[in-house]
Amino acid sequence: MRCWSFFAAAAVLTMAGAAQAQDVKIGLILPMTGQQQSTGRQEAAAAKLYMAQHGDTVAGKKIELIIKDDQSVPDNAKRLAQELIVNEKVNFLGAGLTPSAMSMAPIATEGKVATVVMVSGTSVVTDRSPYYVRTSFTLGQQSGIIADWAIKNGSKKAVSVLSDWAPGAEAGKVFEANFIKGGGQVLDTLKVPLANPDFSPFLQRARDLQPDTLFVFVPAGQAGTFARQFSERGLDKSGIKLIGPGDIVDDDDLPTTGDALLGVVTAGMYSAAHPSQLNKDYVAAYKKASGHRANFISVGGYDGMHLIYSALEQTKGNTDADAVVGVMKGMKWESPRGTISIDPRTRDIVQNVYIRKVQKVNGEPWAIEFETFPAVKDPLKEAAAK
Ligand code: DHB
């Protein structure tokens, strides 16, 4: 009897193994709980929406999506990446926040798993593994352009208020380099803790310095708190121009910000108000599926799934990381944010950056695009290549 069970169990295992060989598993490691859970929620909802719209079979292979919560703890992301590769035998990984994406990189390299960076906005991340390909954005892409725009529009003295982690440092670095190059002066750089931020003392300090412009970076999920404290301090009526990369007018939070951010100009890669038909359909489908407005984080997940699906079509279902990353390089497609492509040299995203102004449409604030910088590459990688 015991003997029979053993063989039966082994046979079941073999059958499961055979079935698995037909499947493609994608493991996304995201902050589904904790302080940055809105990022995980947006990302996961968009990835699921992509699958609902495009089916769960590509090149004859059934796609399985596995979502793991790293609680935005880098050590968790590393352990989860190991478990997904060893136990689940995933064929693709999706990386989230910068610290997690950094800690998972050696695992993706050793395990030889193609990994789509769907959230992180820090330049260096894609250099950390030859199997990393980015569909999100870099902070530099947006921060340099808004610095140039501010100079062109009369800004002379700026203060930076930055969330104190790698993406904030990068946003500040690129903004300040361009602003100073354009003849501007940076009066101070103020760093706000990432966890449970209280912006009020920093905003007061910034105001006391009497700049004409305030450059602010806060990550997705913090724009609502920031906007409230910004208007409580009266800064929305102070005459100081608030600018930044797109994160401060996050579409996930904009509907709750009342009049606080009206008139704010940012350089961003995605607005839910982008006027293409593809985006209108995306925003409507996303809202129907999740109840929320799609934001700049969500398109990283949606396009990340597109990149994986398209790569599988091209490799005819082969998931070998070198083959997959090989076809991802140079891939170009129409995203809800506009035309995007993967730089074949850096595996980083090339995308339009739009200058947008927050305006009320039908009673809600939206970031309305009014100028386009086409096909922008990550400026830090471009500078390093010179
Ligand atoms: C990153 C995360 C964010 O939520 C954001 O708004 C910008 C950057 C990051 O992980 O790099």
Side-chain angles (χ1 to χ4, degrees):
M1 188 62 196
R2 200 176 280 164
C3 208
W4 182 87
S5 317
F6 174 79
F7 281 113
V12 169
L13 277 176
T14 310
M15 280 161 61
Q20 270 172 10
Q22 300 303 312
D23 291 344
V24 171
K25 289 189 178 183
I26 304 170
L28 309 188
I29 300 176
L30 297 169
M32 300 306 294
T33 56
Q35 179 109 19
Q36 287 173 281
Q37 58 80 30
S38 74
T39 297
R41 166 171 55 71
Q42 283 272 353
E43 202 69 34
K48 286 181 190 162
L49 175 63
Y50 188 89
M51 288 187 72
Q53 291 176 333
H54 297 87
D56 62 359
T57 306
V58 184
K61 304 242 179 181
K62 190 120 171 109
I63 308 289
E64 186 187 342
L65 184 67
I66 303 169
I67 294 172
K68 295 285 182 190
D69 178 14
D70 70 4
Q71 299 167 310
S72 69
V73 176
D75 281 348
N76 289 352
K78 188 173 185 174
R79 175 178 51 77
L80 289 167
Q82 263 158 346
E83 287 173 10
L84 283 169
I85 294 173
V86 174
N87 302 340
E88 297 283 351
K89 312 243 177 317
V90 293
N91 309 96
F92 293 89
L93 285 169
L97 299 169
T98 290
S100 292
M102 297 284 269
S103 85
M104 284 165 56
I107 308 297
T109 306
E110 281 164 33
K112 219 174 163 238
V113 176
T115 301
V116 181
V117 178
M118 298 183 177
V119 178
S120 171
T122 313
S123 177
V124 71
V125 158
T126 42
D127 294 333
R128 290 299 168 99
S129 172
Y131 300 128
Y132 269 21
V133 181
R134 175 157 28 214
T135 55
S136 46
F137 52 86
T138 72
L139 270 316
Q141 264 177 338
Q142 306 163 73
S143 305
I145 285 177
I146 197 65
D148 297 346
W149 184 88
I151 290 286
K152 209 172 122 199
N153 286 275
S155 292
K156 292 188 171 58
K157 291 180 180 184
V159 171
S160 302
V161 175
L162 309 170
S163 175
D164 191 11
W165 60 318
E170 190 157 312
K173 177 175 147 179
V174 177
F175 169 75
E176 292 175 10
N178 281 42
F179 196 74
I180 291 166
K181 199 170 157 206
Q185 195 186 348
V186 178
L187 303 177
D188 208 350
T189 304
L190 309 176
K191 294 184 182 165
V192 185
L194 174 64
N196 303 309
D198 178 6
F199 298 103
S200 299
F202 299 95
L203 289 172
Q204 188 57 52
R205 162 102 183 111
R207 189 178 189 162
D208 292 346
L209 290 163
Q210 299 186 316
D212 51 42
T213 303
L214 197 56
F215 173 82
V216 178
F217 166 76
V218 300
Q222 295 190 359
T225 309
F226 173 79
R228 205 163 41 251
Q229 297 184 346
F230 183 76
S231 68
E232 274 165 14
R233 289 262 143 196
L235 272 139
D236 54 338
K237 302 194 173 59
S238 66
I240 300 171
K241 263 191 232 169
L242 174 60
I243 60 168
D247 315 58
I248 52 166
V249 296
D250 179 356
D251 275 299
D252 204 23
D253 283 359
L254 261 188
T256 68
T257 58
D259 292 350
L261 297 177
L262 293 184
V264 172
V265 176
T266 52
M269 34 57 81
Y270 178 71
S271 167
H274 182 64
S276 72
Q277 191 56 48
L278 182 67
N279 185 53
K280 285 178 187 163
D281 295 344
Y282 172 68
V283 171
Y286 186 96
K287 177 103 184 195
K288 194 165 172 226
S290 72
H292 291 98
R293 198 194 280 183
N295 75 348
F296 69 101
I297 295 286
S298 76
V299 288
Y302 193 77
D303 290 324
M305 292 301 286
H306 177 89
L307 182 65
I308 292 172
Y309 272 47
S310 302
L312 282 171
E313 273 162 15
Q314 289 197 22
T315 64
K316 302 192 169 47
N318 180 5
T319 56
D320 172 75
D322 288 306
V324 161
V325 172
V327 298
M328 285 177 169
K329 288 179 181 174
M331 209 179 266
K332 186 173 182 178
W333 71 100
E334 189 60 23
S335 154
R337 60 187 121 167
T339 302
I340 62 176
S341 66
I342 303 298
D343 185 333
R345 184 178 70 81
T346 61
R347 290 167 280 103
D348 216 333
I349 186 158
V350 182
Q351 60 191 332
N352 298 345
V353 172
Y354 306 90
I355 310 278
R356 309 92 49 86
K357 185 179 207 157
V358 177
Q359 287 165 277
K360 260 193 181 160
V361 180
N362 298 330
E364 275 193 5
W366 299 79
I368 306 294
E369 297 165 356
F370 62 90
E371 196 178 340
T372 305
F373 291 76
V376 179
K377 292 187 175 186
D378 172 45
L380 292 175
K381 286 201 181 71
E382 293 312 294
K386 273 184 192 153

